[in-house]
Amino acid sequence: MPRFLADGMLGRFTRWLRILGCEVTYFNEASDDRLLEVAETEDRVLLTRDQELFQRAKSRGLDAHYLKGQTTPETIAEVARHYQIRLEVDVSLSRCPTCGSPIRPIAKAEVRDKVPTGTFKQYDAFWICTSCGQVYWRGSHWNRITETLTQAKTLLRDQHVANP
Ligand SMILES: [Zn+2]
């Protein structure tokens, strides 16, 4: 799987790719020149919704993908099809949505003072980012994540049928 570089408009989408285990660098604010430089020196695929930036990347011979998907499931399906990304969350492969570093399981006892009391009582499985220390659990947002991925899988399957 390639390593990605997402442009400044793709903050939320970057989180999805990281949950799916992709290595993605994202800058909230960076000039187009800076993005092109990082894509080139770090050998990353540039993901962008900016047609001009995309053309500049291509003219430099960089690997870039212009995202056409309008909704989140559409965009996920588009990238998954193009780069053969499995649309299943394997937490052992997931990366921190916030910073992109690997996450690892952490014992419940160790997160007592790191999560809200209600969360601590309700959940038993926790993960922590090896870099920024953010703690994760499969909370209520988990259902929305799997729902969105199911929509993306349906789109992927339908596209596959329509365009063998
Ligand atoms: Zn992190």
Side-chain angles (χ1 to χ4, degrees):
M1 192 192 297
R3 302 188 310 157
F4 296 102
L5 172 65
D7 83 21
M9 289 186 279
L10 299 173
R12 285 188 59 213
F13 185 64
T14 294
R15 299 174 73 87
W16 280 102
L17 291 181
R18 287 171 172 168
I19 288 168
L20 290 168
C22 299
E23 213 263 63
V24 193
T25 291
Y26 164 75
F27 299 108
N28 194 13
E29 286 182 25
S31 66
D32 287 359
D33 287 335
R34 173 83 178 121
L35 290 171
L36 294 169
E37 184 188 314
V38 172
E40 186 158 23
T41 56
E42 298 185 11
D43 193 22
R44 291 176 179 276
V45 175
L46 176 67
L47 300 175
T48 182
R49 289 194 187 280
D50 181 334
Q51 183 71 46
E52 191 188 323
L53 178 60
F54 172 71
Q55 293 299 345
R56 282 186 67 193
K58 294 310 268 185
S59 68
R60 277 213 204 181
L62 301 177
D63 196 346
H65 186 87
Y66 179 73
L67 295 173
K68 298 174 197 71
Q70 297 298 310
T71 65
T72 298
E74 281 174 10
T75 313
I76 292 171
E78 179 184 348
V79 175
R81 184 178 45 164
H82 215 82
Y83 297 101
Q84 278 88 51
I85 295 163
R86 276 188 74 220
L87 293 180
E88 305 287 343
V89 178
D90 177 348
V91 184
S92 68
L93 299 176
S94 288
R95 286 171 170 268
C96 175
T98 306
C99 79
S101 299
I103 59 173
R104 64 171 176 81
I106 183 171
K108 177 167 174 153
E110 291 180 51
V111 300
R112 183 183 292 274
D113 58 354
K114 292 186 171 74
V115 299
T117 309
T119 300
F120 185 78
K121 284 188 183 146
Q122 196 177 346
Y123 299 98
D124 291 318
F126 296 90
W127 292 265
I128 188 167
C129 174
T130 54
S131 178
C132 74
Q134 179 72 46
V135 175
Y136 297 98
W137 59 92
R138 286 177 174 167
S140 55
H141 60 287
W142 187 255
N143 290 335
R144 290 199 298 276
I145 289 174
T146 51
E147 197 178 299
T148 301
L149 290 177
T150 299
Q151 291 169 10
K153 274 186 273 193
T154 303
L155 289 168
L156 195 61
R157 195 185 56 219
D158 292 351
Q159 283 171 355
H160 186 71
V161 170
N163 188 15

PDB file of all heavy atoms in Angstrom, residues 20 73 76-77 80-81 85-89 149-154 156:
ATOM      1  N   LEU A  20      -8.264   2.890   8.631  1.00  0.00           N
ATOM      2  CA  LEU A  20      -8.139   1.708   7.777  1.00  0.00           C
ATOM      3  C   LEU A  20      -6.696   1.214   7.671  1.00  0.00           C
ATOM      4  O   LEU A  20      -6.411   0.261   6.959  1.00  0.00           O
ATOM      5  CB  LEU A  20      -8.692   2.019   6.382  1.00  0.00           C
ATOM      6  CG  LEU A  20     -10.216   2.201   6.322  1.00  0.00           C
ATOM      7  CD1 LEU A  20     -10.639   2.781   4.992  1.00  0.00           C
ATOM      8  CD2 LEU A  20     -10.931   0.877   6.583  1.00  0.00           C
ATOM      9  N   PRO A  73     -18.566   8.165   1.930  1.00  0.00           N
ATOM     10  CA  PRO A  73     -18.506   6.782   1.415  1.00  0.00           C
ATOM     11  C   PRO A  73     -18.006   6.722  -0.038  1.00  0.00           C
ATOM     12  O   PRO A  73     -17.240   5.825  -0.384  1.00  0.00           O
ATOM     13  CB  PRO A  73     -19.964   6.299   1.508  1.00  0.00           C
ATOM     14  CG  PRO A  73     -20.578   7.149   2.553  1.00  0.00           C
ATOM     15  CD  PRO A  73     -19.904   8.482   2.453  1.00  0.00           C
ATOM     16  N   ILE A  76     -14.211   7.216   0.052  1.00  0.00           N
ATOM     17  CA  ILE A  76     -13.556   6.017   0.600  1.00  0.00           C
ATOM     18  C   ILE A  76     -13.535   4.914  -0.455  1.00  0.00           C
ATOM     19  O   ILE A  76     -12.501   4.276  -0.696  1.00  0.00           O
ATOM     20  CB  ILE A  76     -14.282   5.522   1.876  1.00  0.00           C
ATOM     21  CG1 ILE A  76     -14.099   6.530   3.012  1.00  0.00           C
ATOM     22  CG2 ILE A  76     -13.755   4.147   2.296  1.00  0.00           C
ATOM     23  CD1 ILE A  76     -14.966   6.238   4.233  1.00  0.00           C
ATOM     24  N   ALA A  77     -14.680   4.700  -1.118  1.00  0.00           N
ATOM     25  CA  ALA A  77     -14.763   3.646  -2.137  1.00  0.00           C
ATOM     26  C   ALA A  77     -13.795   3.927  -3.283  1.00  0.00           C
ATOM     27  O   ALA A  77     -13.133   3.022  -3.800  1.00  0.00           O
ATOM     28  CB  ALA A  77     -16.201   3.534  -2.651  1.00  0.00           C
ATOM     29  N   ALA A  80     -10.251   3.238  -2.075  1.00  0.00           N
ATOM     30  CA  ALA A  80     -10.107   1.804  -1.801  1.00  0.00           C
ATOM     31  C   ALA A  80      -9.962   1.021  -3.103  1.00  0.00           C
ATOM     32  O   ALA A  80      -9.158   0.103  -3.210  1.00  0.00           O
ATOM     33  CB  ALA A  80     -11.309   1.299  -1.015  1.00  0.00           C
ATOM     34  N   ARG A  81     -10.746   1.389  -4.112  1.00  0.00           N
ATOM     35  CA  ARG A  81     -10.682   0.690  -5.390  1.00  0.00           C
ATOM     36  C   ARG A  81      -9.338   0.942  -6.071  1.00  0.00           C
ATOM     37  O   ARG A  81      -8.701   0.044  -6.586  1.00  0.00           O
ATOM     38  CB  ARG A  81     -11.821   1.154  -6.308  1.00  0.00           C
ATOM     39  CG  ARG A  81     -11.846   0.384  -7.632  1.00  0.00           C
ATOM     40  CD  ARG A  81     -13.008   0.826  -8.473  1.00  0.00           C
ATOM     41  NE  ARG A  81     -13.104   2.290  -8.462  1.00  0.00           N
ATOM     42  CZ  ARG A  81     -13.819   2.976  -9.330  1.00  0.00           C
ATOM     43  NH1 ARG A  81     -14.515   2.367 -10.246  1.00  0.00           N
ATOM     44  NH2 ARG A  81     -13.866   4.293  -9.274  1.00  0.00           N
ATOM     45  N   ILE A  85      -7.407  -0.980  -0.963  1.00  0.00           N
ATOM     46  CA  ILE A  85      -7.459  -0.882   0.497  1.00  0.00           C
ATOM     47  C   ILE A  85      -8.666  -1.663   0.987  1.00  0.00           C
ATOM     48  O   ILE A  85      -9.775  -1.487   0.474  1.00  0.00           O
ATOM     49  CB  ILE A  85      -7.580   0.595   0.934  1.00  0.00           C
ATOM     50  CG1 ILE A  85      -6.315   1.339   0.522  1.00  0.00           C
ATOM     51  CG2 ILE A  85      -7.809   0.704   2.434  1.00  0.00           C
ATOM     52  CD1 ILE A  85      -6.466   2.843   0.531  1.00  0.00           C
ATOM     53  N   ARG A  86      -8.432  -2.540   1.940  1.00  0.00           N
ATOM     54  CA  ARG A  86      -9.547  -3.327   2.494  1.00  0.00           C
ATOM     55  C   ARG A  86     -10.435  -2.429   3.340  1.00  0.00           C
ATOM     56  O   ARG A  86      -9.945  -1.678   4.191  1.00  0.00           O
ATOM     57  CB  ARG A  86      -9.024  -4.468   3.368  1.00  0.00           C
ATOM     58  CG  ARG A  86      -8.641  -5.694   2.582  1.00  0.00           C
ATOM     59  CD  ARG A  86      -8.335  -6.839   3.533  1.00  0.00           C
ATOM     60  NE  ARG A  86      -9.560  -7.375   4.128  1.00  0.00           N
ATOM     61  CZ  ARG A  86      -9.677  -7.750   5.405  1.00  0.00           C
ATOM     62  NH1 ARG A  86      -8.685  -7.620   6.226  1.00  0.00           N
ATOM     63  NH2 ARG A  86     -10.814  -8.258   5.849  1.00  0.00           N
ATOM     64  N   LEU A  87     -11.734  -2.554   3.133  1.00  0.00           N
ATOM     65  CA  LEU A  87     -12.670  -1.709   3.871  1.00  0.00           C
ATOM     66  C   LEU A  87     -13.142  -2.404   5.153  1.00  0.00           C
ATOM     67  O   LEU A  87     -14.329  -2.494   5.438  1.00  0.00           O
ATOM     68  CB  LEU A  87     -13.854  -1.314   2.983  1.00  0.00           C
ATOM     69  CG  LEU A  87     -13.474  -0.400   1.824  1.00  0.00           C
ATOM     70  CD1 LEU A  87     -14.700  -0.048   0.992  1.00  0.00           C
ATOM     71  CD2 LEU A  87     -12.808   0.873   2.339  1.00  0.00           C
ATOM     72  N   GLU A  88     -12.196  -2.946   5.878  1.00  0.00           N
ATOM     73  CA  GLU A  88     -12.469  -3.534   7.182  1.00  0.00           C
ATOM     74  C   GLU A  88     -11.504  -2.881   8.159  1.00  0.00           C
ATOM     75  O   GLU A  88     -10.348  -2.656   7.820  1.00  0.00           O
ATOM     76  CB  GLU A  88     -12.191  -5.045   7.180  1.00  0.00           C
ATOM     77  CG  GLU A  88     -12.927  -5.843   6.124  1.00  0.00           C
ATOM     78  CD  GLU A  88     -14.397  -5.997   6.440  1.00  0.00           C
ATOM     79  OE1 GLU A  88     -14.752  -5.762   7.624  1.00  0.00           O
ATOM     80  OE2 GLU A  88     -15.164  -6.324   5.529  1.00  0.00           O
ATOM     81  N   VAL A  89     -12.008  -2.600   9.357  1.00  0.00           N
ATOM     82  CA  VAL A  89     -11.114  -2.033  10.346  1.00  0.00           C
ATOM     83  C   VAL A  89     -10.446  -3.172  11.115  1.00  0.00           C
ATOM     84  O   VAL A  89     -11.101  -3.959  11.775  1.00  0.00           O
ATOM     85  CB  VAL A  89     -11.872  -1.110  11.328  1.00  0.00           C
ATOM     86  CG1 VAL A  89     -10.906  -0.579  12.385  1.00  0.00           C
ATOM     87  CG2 VAL A  89     -12.508   0.043  10.577  1.00  0.00           C
ATOM     88  N   LEU A 149     -18.569   2.581   6.380  1.00  0.00           N
ATOM     89  CA  LEU A 149     -17.760   1.616   5.631  1.00  0.00           C
ATOM     90  C   LEU A 149     -18.644   0.636   4.863  1.00  0.00           C
ATOM     91  O   LEU A 149     -18.301   0.218   3.754  1.00  0.00           O
ATOM     92  CB  LEU A 149     -16.812   0.863   6.566  1.00  0.00           C
ATOM     93  CG  LEU A 149     -15.663   1.704   7.130  1.00  0.00           C
ATOM     94  CD1 LEU A 149     -14.825   0.888   8.094  1.00  0.00           C
ATOM     95  CD2 LEU A 149     -14.801   2.274   6.013  1.00  0.00           C
ATOM     96  N   THR A 150     -19.782   0.282   5.440  1.00  0.00           N
ATOM     97  CA  THR A 150     -20.718  -0.600   4.736  1.00  0.00           C
ATOM     98  C   THR A 150     -21.240   0.093   3.479  1.00  0.00           C
ATOM     99  O   THR A 150     -21.333  -0.514   2.410  1.00  0.00           O
ATOM    100  CB  THR A 150     -21.898  -0.974   5.669  1.00  0.00           C
ATOM    101  OG1 THR A 150     -21.370  -1.656   6.802  1.00  0.00           O
ATOM    102  CG2 THR A 150     -22.897  -1.877   4.951  1.00  0.00           C
ATOM    103  N   GLN A 151     -21.535   1.394   3.601  1.00  0.00           N
ATOM    104  CA  GLN A 151     -21.975   2.156   2.419  1.00  0.00           C
ATOM    105  C   GLN A 151     -20.882   2.185   1.361  1.00  0.00           C
ATOM    106  O   GLN A 151     -21.139   2.018   0.168  1.00  0.00           O
ATOM    107  CB  GLN A 151     -22.339   3.593   2.819  1.00  0.00           C
ATOM    108  CG  GLN A 151     -23.604   3.692   3.661  1.00  0.00           C
ATOM    109  CD  GLN A 151     -23.790   5.084   4.255  1.00  0.00           C
ATOM    110  OE1 GLN A 151     -23.082   6.021   3.900  1.00  0.00           O
ATOM    111  NE2 GLN A 151     -24.752   5.208   5.155  1.00  0.00           N
ATOM    112  N   ALA A 152     -19.650   2.390   1.806  1.00  0.00           N
ATOM    113  CA  ALA A 152     -18.524   2.434   0.863  1.00  0.00           C
ATOM    114  C   ALA A 152     -18.361   1.083   0.168  1.00  0.00           C
ATOM    115  O   ALA A 152     -18.130   1.015  -1.041  1.00  0.00           O
ATOM    116  CB  ALA A 152     -17.241   2.813   1.600  1.00  0.00           C
ATOM    117  N   LYS A 153     -18.508  -0.012   0.920  1.00  0.00           N
ATOM    118  CA  LYS A 153     -18.372  -1.351   0.342  1.00  0.00           C
ATOM    119  C   LYS A 153     -19.450  -1.607  -0.703  1.00  0.00           C
ATOM    120  O   LYS A 153     -19.190  -2.206  -1.745  1.00  0.00           O
ATOM    121  CB  LYS A 153     -18.456  -2.416   1.444  1.00  0.00           C
ATOM    122  CG  LYS A 153     -17.122  -2.690   2.098  1.00  0.00           C
ATOM    123  CD  LYS A 153     -17.201  -3.846   3.064  1.00  0.00           C
ATOM    124  CE  LYS A 153     -17.620  -3.363   4.433  1.00  0.00           C
ATOM    125  NZ  LYS A 153     -17.425  -4.373   5.480  1.00  0.00           N
ATOM    126  N   THR A 154     -20.660  -1.124  -0.427  1.00  0.00           N
ATOM    127  CA  THR A 154     -21.761  -1.288  -1.379  1.00  0.00           C
ATOM    128  C   THR A 154     -21.453  -0.540  -2.674  1.00  0.00           C
ATOM    129  O   THR A 154     -21.627  -1.073  -3.771  1.00  0.00           O
ATOM    130  CB  THR A 154     -23.077  -0.753  -0.764  1.00  0.00           C
ATOM    131  OG1 THR A 154     -23.307  -1.436   0.455  1.00  0.00           O
ATOM    132  CG2 THR A 154     -24.246  -0.971  -1.707  1.00  0.00           C
ATOM    133  N   LEU A 156     -18.517   0.254  -3.800  1.00  0.00           N
ATOM    134  CA  LEU A 156     -17.386  -0.420  -4.435  1.00  0.00           C
ATOM    135  C   LEU A 156     -17.877  -1.625  -5.228  1.00  0.00           C
ATOM    136  O   LEU A 156     -17.476  -1.849  -6.369  1.00  0.00           O
ATOM    137  CB  LEU A 156     -16.405  -0.853  -3.343  1.00  0.00           C
ATOM    138  CG  LEU A 156     -15.001  -1.257  -3.742  1.00  0.00           C
ATOM    139  CD1 LEU A 156     -14.289  -0.095  -4.403  1.00  0.00           C
ATOM    140  CD2 LEU A 156     -14.221  -1.685  -2.497  1.00  0.00           C
TER     141      LEU A 156
END
